[in-house]
Amino acid sequence: MGFYITTAIDYPNSRPHIGTAFEKIGADVQARFRRMEGDAVHFLMGNDENTIKVSQAAEKLGLEPKPYVDDMARQFREVWAALEISNDDFIQTSEERHHVGCRKFIQAVYDAGDIYKKSYTGLYCDGCEAFKTDKEIVDGRCPNHPNRELRRVEEENYFFRLSAFADRLLAHYEAHPDFIQPESRRNEIVSLVKAGLLDVSISRKGFTWGIPVPFDPDQTIYVWFDALLNYITAIGYGTDEERFRSTWPADVHVIGKDITRFHCALWPAMLMSAGLPLPKRVFGHGFVYRKDEGTGEVQKISKSLGNVVEPMDIIDKFSAEGFRHYFMSQCPFGGDGEFSFERFADAYNAGLANNLGNLYSRTLSMCVKYFDGKLDGSSAIDPTAWLAGLDLGALVEGLKRQIGAFEYNIALQRIWAEVLDAANRYIDTTRPFSLAKTDLEATKVVMVNLAEAIRVVAILIKPFLPETASTFYRAFNFEDARPWAEVGYADALARPAGPDLRVTAELVGGKPAPLFPKIDLKAAGA
RNA sequence: GGCGGCGUAGCUCAGUUGGUUAGAGCAGCGGAUUCAUAAGCCGCUUGUCGGGGGUUCGAAUCCCUCCGCCGCUACCA
């Protein structure tokens, strides 16, 4: 099965912050999970570059737009790579493939009769890159950009007949209850569309940076009509029709809750007009807010508030895995979350250092100390005692469902509460460190069970903490039985046949190095 | 103004077809241990379940009202 997943494309007028990263990680977990389940995943990300703000930002630096956006794209990709985002493609909307596809698409909609030209006079906000209706204006200013003057602009623009699609959209929501998720977002969109849709302006006059309208070169395509098309131009619409047909429609668009209306109303209407299938699902995730460590105040993340946290700050100090773990375990993906260094350190120390990392350390240490790392005869030993009363099959089924529904925080909570706790408790009840003094055979049974726990944990955390998962899997010679790249969630259920186990983890002075050194915020200077 | 959501232990939250002494994680405290990153395990403490009223044998859970916060949206000006 193919699985096509996308994230929103970002404005490259400033570097990505942790809120942007939240979205990419959430999409990445889904992509990695689907790959484990055997799907042919295509995971797309990109930057939205055909905006006036971008060309202005370039101008400020004395650059042409293209070199500017290319450099920003490089910086974005660097951050995503550092966060272990496994995207298969990264589209820049200034690329030729996007331009070609856009021209084809807008022509198709034009030919379908859903685009018309209309003169429009209104107050234009350069900050929003949008006309403001009277009711949106407060004290003669745009509330979002109170420092800027609104300009009175009159021009002829092309409009998309969005209003004509309301009934079809509502019918689609009705027929596909999962189209918009989570539920709360769906309700908002339904009431929005029921209230009536207005036709939208889709072009601007007099700009050279952007995509010219094919049937009127004086106009360029306006941001949303252009940006949304990245989802199809990236996979060959207009340039490689065969590839496009085999990849589209998307299985899920992962986006921020603020742009659900564009993805759930405008975008489907555009596709309907062009005669293309609609994406199967749109997931509007929540926002990350910044909680001030001193005052406890919770704020939106914004440059002007000076509370921006760059992903690289956290990655450099505390690792990418720590970053991923924090956001996936502490912030419900469909709802809002908050970030503070204090909470980060708590979650990291409790979940990664004390629990996950420590289980790894104590297990390997004992294997090395009591058996020189070689568990001879392990293949004949049943490795399921550590599970005690845990129904692994039911757990795995539940996790698959929850990850599929983007309930990552709940899935992680269960892995910790049910699997990791079971393993730690097993050590305590069997006391291998005492057993080793009197009964090495019995001790070996315990170690084989713990190795199995390590293997199961590795599999279950693979979509979330790919690096740690791999380290866990390579702690023993599990790859002799089954290559890591082929491991899926079903492999957690039973140990595959293979040679006797031995420790293959990297050791420092005969001991495993701590995977997650504890965080001391004061020492870290955070 | 309309629609919707939220307000539960110090912190983050679970918990609604109403029903035994309201739960989890984190933090805190105590205990027994020592393989381990002074981690892990066992045990413990705290809650007017936002305020008030009502329905009921019985409400965190249903109804009314008030307060506070948030999302979407309308209109007036």
Side-chain angles (χ1 to χ4, degrees), chain A residues 227-488:
Chain A
L228 288 162
L229 292 172
N230 89 87
Y231 302 130
I232 60 172
T233 60
I235 53 168
Y237 179 83
T239 51
D240 184 346
E241 295 301 329
E242 193 182 324
R243 177 163 176 247
F244 170 67
R245 272 193 304 275
S246 65
T247 310
W248 189 255
D251 290 86
V252 60
H253 292 311
V254 177
I255 56 158
K257 63 181 183 180
D258 54 330
I259 54 174
T260 40
R261 62 156 69 192
F262 300 108
H263 284 77
C264 298
L266 175 60
W267 177 226
M270 286 165 62
L271 290 165
M272 284 172 179
S273 174
L276 296 174
L278 306 194
K280 292 177 194 159
R281 191 152 61 129
V282 176
F283 191 94
H285 65 76
F287 286 158
V288 174
Y289 294 89
R290 179 76 167 90
K291 181 171 186 179
D292 186 278
E293 288 81 8
T295 63
E297 208 179 340
V298 176
Q299 303 173 313
K300 262 190 133 149
I301 296 172
S302 84
K303 255 194 209 169
S304 53
L305 289 170
N307 60 6
V308 172
V309 177
E310 289 215 14
M312 280 302 192
D313 287 349
I314 301 173
I315 297 169
D316 289 344
K317 282 182 187 144
F318 311 119
S319 82
E321 302 272 301
F323 191 109
R324 294 173 65 103
H325 170 260
Y326 178 83
F327 287 101
M328 292 298 98
S329 69
Q330 304 298 304
C331 309
F333 198 57
D336 295 333
E338 50 189 60
F339 176 87
S340 72
F341 283 99
E342 215 171 274
R343 250 191 94 173
F344 180 87
D346 281 349
Y348 176 102
N349 286 337
L352 296 181
N354 294 350
N355 201 326
L356 184 69
N358 188 49
L359 174 67
Y360 176 88
S361 292
R362 64 199 307 211
T363 298
L364 291 181
S365 293
M366 287 191 279
C367 283
V368 171
K369 188 178 284 190
Y370 307 139
F371 299 100
D372 198 23
K374 290 188 278 288
L375 302 175
D376 295 332
S378 63
S379 2
I381 295 172
D382 176 71
T384 59
W386 69 282
L387 290 168
L390 176 61
D391 184 343
L392 197 54
L395 174 67
V396 168
E397 277 317 300
L399 291 176
K400 283 159 108 169
R401 190 179 50 73
Q402 282 159 339
I403 295 172
F406 294 88
E407 293 171 357
Y408 300 140
N409 59 327
I410 295 173
L412 285 172
Q413 196 180 322
R414 291 190 68 186
I415 295 170
W416 259 251
E418 298 181 38
V419 181
L420 287 167
D421 284 3
N424 275 318
R425 212 176 297 124
Y426 177 72
I427 297 178
D428 229 75
T429 48
T430 54
R431 300 179 54 81
F433 39 85
S434 302
L435 264 186
K437 292 168 189 162
T438 58
D439 187 346
L440 273 178
E441 279 313 302
T443 309
K444 186 181 280 179
V445 171
V446 173
M447 299 323 300
V448 170
N449 270 272
L450 288 176
E452 175 65 1
I454 293 284
R455 193 188 67 87
V456 170
V457 169
I459 294 168
L460 297 183
I461 65 174
K462 192 180 179 189
F464 301 96
L465 307 175
E467 199 59 41
T468 305
S470 166
T471 302
F472 266 52
Y473 200 73
R474 294 178 213 289
F476 293 89
N477 55 328
F478 295 129
E479 283 215 294
D480 292 346
R482 182 125 168 88
W484 179 232
E486 293 170 15
V487 164

Side-chain angles (χ1 to χ4, degrees), chain A residues 7-8 21 42 99 109 133 140 156 167 198 322 348 356 359 362 391 408 411 451 469:
Chain A
T7 63
H42 187 67
H99 282 230
V109 174
T133 55
E156 287 209 299
D167 290 344
L198 298 175
Y348 176 102
L356 184 69
L359 174 67
R362 64 199 307 211
D391 184 343
Y408 300 140

Side-chain angles (χ1 to χ4, degrees), chain A residues 61 115 133 162 173 197 224 259-260 302 467 489:
Chain A
L61 297 171
I115 289 176
T133 55
L162 179 61
Y173 305 151
L197 296 170
W224 276 110
I259 54 174
T260 40
S302 84
E467 199 59 41
Y489 256 43

Side-chain angles (χ1 to χ4, degrees), chain A residues 167-180:
Chain A
D167 290 344
R168 274 187 275 172
L169 287 170
L170 288 170
H172 186 79
Y173 305 151
E174 181 79 22
H176 302 87
D178 294 336
F179 179 62
I180 307 170

